[in-house]
Amino acid sequence: MSSVKQSGRKREVNEIVTLLRAAEVGRLMLGELERPMKRIDYDEYLAKPRREIQTQRAVVRDHLRGEIAKFCQNNFGNIKPVDLARLYEPLYVRGSIWRLPLIEFAAQLGQPKEGVLRGAPLHSTITLSPWGLQTEYPEMHLVKDLAVAFNSIVAIEDELGEYKNIPWHKAKEEKTRNKVANLQRLAAFHSRMCVLSCFNLAEAYINGIAWECVQTNDISALSKTKQKILTEGQASILDKLVRIPEIVVGRTPGPLEKDNEPLVTFRDTIKPFRDSIVHASPFAAPERFGGYEKLSKIYELNYDTVQQTVEMTLTIIGMVHRFIGGSEQLPEWVPKRNDDGTFLIDKY
């Protein structure tokens, strides 16, 4: 076979394999594969008769080239099928499942268009699998923890309401007493988890903003104090909530002030309840804890406090989100809510 024909054969096979691999990767990202990725081998196609190769090339051109170009344009903007095809081998050798940081994913393929990742922050992890392209990040998990816990509390409180007006002699009957006791245990558990999730979510959110600032900006011109707040993570949560938005945007004052709402409630209500759970101790030192017995907060936690904690946490996140350039009231990863305050989490 002449070198010209051989060269032409290789170009044709390379086009076939590139388009088939790009299509396989694209369908995986869309969650359209009902199986692991199939093997698409260059040498296998190269060994076929020239006529069969040319026929195959015509087929993939007609049926795949436009589809792949549309996928690239809709989701990534300026990438080409060959860029998509490069992900085939690392995906195939990993059994069609690959987890990698968003920054690494963007470096290998290209930054997804706005909206594709549904507001996922820069520190997200990308998972490619037959389930499709999915994102994962701390805020996603913690806001769902908050939502599940709060929804559970609302449901339990509604159920407990059925027992509030029954006579004492009925309430003390063993069956009723056991039922109420179990509901109260569940309410107490979910209340504690909700408060912890709120506090952890606020901290994860502000830490993520600081990390993204460090990754996308040269911070060497900032003062040592500002650099430490962004990079070392040793400042108090209150200091972070006040200072990090100011540093990131380069404007003062920021959206939050320690002695104004909603940080006053966060400082005087949410944080003490959280501290009493995380750092539970029978040692009394009210002079260190705002004049209260630390353990008392565990016992005093109730439905009203949990509601207030959820509202204030989302208010804080929303204020920061809008200050740093968010166009909506809250980040996209925060679930929408029903009229009773419960969260719509089935779609998230």
Side-chain angles (χ1 to χ4, degrees), residues 104-122:
E104 184 179 333
F105 175 79
Q108 294 208 29
L109 181 61
Q111 182 66 35
K113 276 189 169 182
E114 186 176 352
V116 172
L117 301 181
R118 294 184 59 184
L122 189 62

Side-chain angles (χ1 to χ4, degrees), residues 296-308:
S296 67
K297 293 297 180 182
I298 293 180
Y299 314 139
E300 294 169 5
L301 184 58
N302 58 35
Y303 181 55
D304 290 340
T305 300
V306 172
Q307 281 187 306
Q308 185 182 41

Side-chain angles (χ1 to χ4, degrees), residues 38-295:
K38 63 185 179 183
R39 184 61 186 159
I40 303 169
D41 187 74
Y42 180 86
D43 291 335
E44 180 182 324
Y45 279 92
L46 193 62
K48 293 181 177 183
R50 181 76 185 276
R51 185 183 297 275
E52 188 176 337
I53 292 172
Q54 290 175 329
T55 300
Q56 181 74 36
R57 183 180 66 161
V59 170
V60 297
R61 277 184 166 184
D62 289 344
H63 292 88
L64 292 181
R65 191 162 57 175
E67 179 186 342
I68 295 168
K70 184 178 179 181
F71 172 87
C72 293
Q73 178 63 34
N74 288 345
N75 295 283
F76 296 94
N78 59 356
I79 69 168
K80 297 178 172 58
V82 66
D83 302 312
L84 204 59
R86 288 194 194 100
L87 297 186
Y88 172 84
E89 280 293 349
L91 269 166
Y92 182 80
V93 300
R94 289 173 172 84
S96 305
I97 300 174
W98 190 14
R99 290 169 57 86
L100 68 167
L102 173 56
I103 287 181
E104 184 179 333
F105 175 79
Q108 294 208 29
L109 181 61
Q111 182 66 35
K113 276 189 169 182
E114 186 176 352
V116 172
L117 301 181
R118 294 184 59 184
L122 189 62
H123 56 273
S124 299
T125 293
I126 296 290
T127 300
L128 303 174
S129 78
W131 291 102
L133 187 155
Q134 297 174 309
T135 57
E136 189 174 14
Y137 42 96
E139 296 93 323
M140 179 192 78
H141 289 295
L142 293 169
V143 78
K144 287 179 180 177
D145 289 351
L146 182 162
V148 169
F150 186 73
N151 287 2
S152 299
I153 296 163
V154 172
I156 293 167
E157 286 292 322
D158 287 345
E159 196 168 353
L160 279 170
E162 299 174 10
Y163 297 93
K164 286 185 177 178
N165 296 321
I166 64 173
W168 276 105
H169 71 277
K170 289 284 188 183
K172 290 185 176 183
E173 290 177 359
E174 184 175 3
K175 184 177 179 180
T176 303
R177 183 176 59 201
N178 290 343
K179 176 67 173 177
V180 171
N182 185 55
L183 289 172
Q184 289 175 331
R185 280 192 295 270
L186 288 172
F189 168 75
H190 288 296
S191 294
R192 290 191 293 270
M193 294 308 102
C194 193
V195 169
L196 292 179
S197 297
C198 286
F199 189 94
N200 294 341
L201 174 61
E203 189 159 28
Y205 176 61
I206 202 67
N207 287 344
I209 291 171
W211 185 88
E212 184 166 337
C213 177
V214 172
Q215 298 301 312
T216 57
N217 296 277
D218 179 6
I219 65 168
S220 61
L222 296 177
S223 69
K224 295 296 183 183
T225 300
K226 290 181 178 179
Q227 290 184 43
K228 287 180 68 174
I229 289 175
L230 289 175
T231 60
E232 295 188 8
Q234 295 179 354
S236 71
I237 180 64
L238 292 171
D239 284 339
K240 289 179 182 180
L241 289 169
V242 171
R243 298 293 308 284
I244 287 174
E246 294 178 343
I247 296 169
V248 168
V249 176
R251 186 173 80 245
T252 57
L256 300 168
E257 297 179 9
K258 282 187 180 180
D259 294 324
N260 291 331
E261 292 290 5
L263 280 193
V264 170
T265 295
F266 190 90
R267 179 192 67 204
D268 296 343
T269 301
I270 299 173
K271 190 174 184 301
F273 277 103
R274 176 263 182 187
D275 289 348
S276 71
I277 299 167
V278 174
H279 306 296
S281 172
F283 288 97
E287 68 281 359
R288 291 177 52 199
F289 302 116
Y292 65 86
E293 295 285 349
K294 192 174 184 182
L295 279 185

Side-chain angles (χ1 to χ4, degrees), residues 3-70:
S3 60
V4 173
K5 287 185 177 180
Q6 183 66 16
S7 176
R9 172 191 288 267
K10 288 182 178 180
R11 284 197 304 272
E12 291 162 356
V13 168
N14 186 62
E15 183 176 358
I16 293 169
V17 170
T18 296
L19 289 174
L20 288 175
R21 288 184 170 186
E24 194 80 348
V25 171
R27 288 169 183 155
L28 181 91
M29 287 187 182
L30 292 172
E32 294 179 354
L33 290 186
E34 303 296 335
R35 49 163 174 77
M37 298 174 74
K38 63 185 179 183
R39 184 61 186 159
I40 303 169
D41 187 74
Y42 180 86
D43 291 335
E44 180 182 324
Y45 279 92
L46 193 62
K48 293 181 177 183
R50 181 76 185 276
R51 185 183 297 275
E52 188 176 337
I53 292 172
Q54 290 175 329
T55 300
Q56 181 74 36
R57 183 180 66 161
V59 170
V60 297
R61 277 184 166 184
D62 289 344
H63 292 88
L64 292 181
R65 191 162 57 175
E67 179 186 342
I68 295 168
K70 184 178 179 181

